[in-house]
Amino acid sequence: MRRCAPLWTVLVLVLLVAGCSSTDAPSPGAPAPATKPPLAGRLLDGSTYDAAAGVGKVVVVNFWASWCGPCRAEAADLVATYEATKTDGVVFVGVNTRDTQDAARAFVERFALPYPSLFDPAGRVALDFDVPPAAIPATLILDRRGKVVAAYRTRVAREQLEPAVRQVVGQ
């Protein structure tokens, strides 16, 4: 039995590491999760976001805040992925959370975010999508039926995001 102890220790460590994965990539043929609520609310410019903009389209939702270092680090990758996939009809929507409106607007300007961002200082939209408001950045890919098919609960790079978005577009 003593000879098996190291093997059990390694097995437990492997299972623990696997359970701590922060990315749920799309898996073809897997049962689809429940449909999430439509994105709705006030945009940073004060207008109302039309949830119909994403109906029947692949939607990428990015939860961010101006004070979040990883959010700043991923901004260029999100913009590049948006630019690379917008002709495929992919819709991007940012959700600014736990922030001030002025700081959020400055972030959008600084990083030239070309897609709209909801202003959600209380984190209600994040909670609707099962994203704890403090767990940012987080990026979700919703399929054409509005189901979350991939979730990145960490900084996302273009090399990860763009192929995943294209995979969902192709389904």
Side-chain angles (χ1 to χ4, degrees), residues 17-31:
V17 169
C20 292
S21 173
S22 61
T23 302
D24 302 322
S27 57

Side-chain angles (χ1 to χ4, degrees), residues 105-132:
R105 286 181 184 149
F107 181 97
V108 168
E109 249 181 68
R110 177 178 176 196
F111 294 102
L113 299 185
Y115 47 84
S117 281
L118 295 169
F119 182 58
D120 185 36
R124 289 186 183 99
V125 174
L127 290 174
D128 285 346
F129 281 87
D130 298 325
V131 174

Side-chain angles (χ1 to χ4, degrees), residues 46-59:
S47 64
T48 303
Y49 181 73
D50 182 6
V55 173
K57 297 181 180 180
V58 173
V59 178

Side-chain angles (χ1 to χ4, degrees), residues 83-102:
E83 294 295 339
T85 60
K86 69 181 179 183
T87 58
D88 295 326
V90 177
V91 173
F92 273 61
V93 180
V95 180
N96 172 263
T97 187
R98 300 181 58 214
D99 219 339
T100 66
Q101 204 158 15
D102 288 341

